[in-house]
Amino acid sequence: MNASDVSDDAFEERLRRAADLIDEVPPASLRAARTAHSIRRLDAELAELVFDSLGTREAQMVRGGGEPWLLTFEAGATTVDIEVSTTRRGLRVLGRISPEVAIDVEIRSGDRTIRTSTDPLGRFVADEIPGGATSLRLRWGERSIVTEWLTLPRATPAS
Amino acid sequence: VPANDLGTLVRAAANGDATAWEALVARFSGLVWSVARGHGLSRADAEDVYQTVWFRLAEHIDRIKEPDRIGSWLATTARNECLRLFRAGARTSITSDPDTLDSGNRGTASPSPEQLLVESEDAATEVDRLHELWRGFVQLSDRCRRLLRVLMASPPPSYAEAAAALDMPIGSIGPTRARCLAKLRELVTMPGLTERSS
């Protein structure tokens, strides 16, 4: 069959068959999506991303490494600032919660969960963050906050 | 799935209905994946974006403002995560390298129905043809690849969802699609491409 003999709709349908064959959703990712509903952290407040130093315009794309990447999340009057950088040991997340409070911090990133806690000024640091889908959970007293999920680049091996 | 049913599904999922959630994933999984791949992310990065989008929906689902337009919300969220990852230093590898072309389904634990078809000779020929078509597809311009990759999601997105995924006016989807499909026809009818023996 010659490609020019078929209608655009039929041609697009052939492309869909090709994509289903060659570039389908990986099964592990599909499983993660299907079970995402059951891992909702309903007891926690959602802190939404309100600032991203990388901006939102396509024109600002790819600058290479080196510059700190700053993100701010807010839940009510509580603000969580984080700075993401690359070190020899992978990604580092430096954070601060304000108003400052002593909290337990749990960072879910890729397949791992990394735990740390704040100093008296509400600051925390975590290394060897794998990257991928990432969210922080902050807990103190009766309160619990989770930051909106976002994607951190996978750390590239140190050269 | 009609839009008002989508709204019902979103509200049911927000109230804890796992079946409604699975229906949403079944409907839009392919779209979210195709947006990430259409933007040129490597498979590994596309998997990260795909997971982020679904995790974010799970925790956002009770505050979605227009439940009927959940497909557009997912497409926009996927696009924004792609752009964020680009700025943060993603590995881009559009599918033009032969490794990626061939690594699609092979080696996954359970063969898809498409793979099982390969059992027969006819099906093997069909698979070869689809690979040829894909080789033509990856030679298209970025713009055409992005548009067609989104439109070829399974199940196919609405034009409104495609417009959200591509940040294009809805009115330009149809004409651009026609142009890109015409270019692809030229590519796959070129002797060098279609005569290649496998």
Side-chain angles (χ1 to χ4, degrees):
Chain A
M1 181 173 59
N2 193 306
S4 57
D5 293 340
V6 296
S7 73
D8 276 1
D9 284 352
F11 195 39
E12 184 187 297
E13 201 50 44
R14 302 250 332 128
L15 274 170
R16 194 170 350 273
R17 273 180 67 78
D20 286 346
L21 175 74
I22 295 163
D23 193 25
E24 70 165 3
V25 180
S29 289
L30 180 58
R31 272 196 302 278
R34 293 179 62 194
T35 55
H37 188 247
S38 62
I39 59 166
R40 285 195 292 166
R41 298 160 295 185
L42 293 170
D43 54 328
E45 292 168 64
L46 185 64
E48 297 202 43
L49 182 66
V50 294
F51 174 74
D52 177 350
S53 68
L54 289 174
T56 53
R57 289 200 187 78
E58 210 158 345
Q60 296 179 331
M61 269 162 60
V62 189
R63 298 240 186 106
E67 292 176 46
W69 178 18
L70 307 171
L71 298 155
T72 303
F73 301 88
E74 278 180 6
T78 304
T79 303
V80 181
D81 292 297
I82 66 168
E83 175 183 328
V84 182
S85 57
T86 310
T87 69
R88 281 174 182 277
R89 287 158 56 210
L91 294 179
R92 164 178 291 175
V93 171
L94 271 167
R96 192 168 68 97
I97 183 168
S98 60
E100 67 259 31
V101 59
I103 51 171
D104 290 320
V105 180
E106 183 185 288
I107 302 175
R108 287 169 58 184
S109 184
D111 301 333
R112 293 185 54 203
T113 300
I114 291 111
R115 290 185 175 79
T116 182
S117 51
T118 52
D119 69 10
L121 297 176
R123 297 174 304 190
F124 58 91
V125 61
D127 279 306
E128 297 182 53
I129 308 293
T134 300
S135 168
L136 279 67
R137 181 180 187 131
L138 314 170
R139 258 188 274 240
W140 68 103
E142 297 290 294
R143 244 183 119 185
S144 184
I145 285 179
V146 290
T147 62
E148 197 166 46
W149 287 92
L150 57 85
T151 317
L152 300 187
R154 297 274 178 177
T156 46
S159 52
Chain B
V1 181
N4 57 342
D5 289 354
L6 284 176
T8 307
L9 281 180
V10 170
R11 282 182 284 269
N15 287 325
D17 182 338
T19 310
W21 174 261
E22 295 225 357
L24 286 173
V25 174
R27 175 68 184 79
F28 293 114
S29 167
L31 175 61
V32 172
W33 177 251
S34 75
V35 174
R37 294 291 282 154
H39 280 81
L41 291 182
S42 68
R43 287 179 70 84
D45 283 335
E47 288 192 66
D48 287 340
V49 163
Y50 175 94
Q51 285 193 18
T52 295
V53 171
W54 287 107
F55 288 176
R56 194 183 297 180
L57 177 62
E59 291 195 308
H60 256 279
I61 195 156
D62 53 356
R63 46 174 94 180
I64 294 291
K65 293 192 182 76
E66 297 177 281
D68 295 348
R69 303 186 61 237
I70 190 65
S72 296
W73 185 93
L74 286 163
T76 303
T77 302
R79 177 187 141 76
N80 288 340
E81 278 306 299
C82 288
L83 298 183
R84 191 198 317 284
L85 197 50
F86 274 129
R87 290 182 213 110
R91 292 155 302 171
T92 68
S93 76
I94 195 64
T95 38
S96 47
D97 68 284
D99 276 359
T100 316
L101 278 179
D102 291 333
S103 65
N105 266 342
R106 319 243 164 113
T108 52
S110 54
S112 66
E114 292 278 7
Q115 283 173 296
L116 291 173
L117 277 177
V118 181
E119 306 285 321
S120 80
E121 291 280 324
D122 283 355
T125 309
E126 165 69 356
V127 166
D128 285 345
R129 286 204 187 109
L130 292 174
H131 275 275
E132 272 180 19
L133 182 58
W134 199 258
R135 279 193 286 271
F137 163 70
V138 299
Q139 292 177 46
L140 289 168
S141 66
D142 285 356
R143 181 181 167 83
C144 281
R145 241 175 1 210
R146 194 156 49 220
L147 176 92
L148 292 182
R149 186 65 191 85
V150 166
L151 291 179
M152 71 173 90
S154 288
S158 69
Y159 274 19
E161 288 157 0
L166 300 158
D167 196 24
M168 275 171 75
I170 193 166
S172 68
I173 302 273
T176 312
R177 168 183 182 260
R179 265 200 309 280
C180 293
L181 288 176
K183 276 182 198 149
L184 182 54
R185 283 174 201 280
E186 286 170 28
L187 283 169
V188 297
T189 51
M190 272 162 46
L193 194 65
T194 52
E195 301 299 315
R196 185 184 302 174
S197 58
S198 47

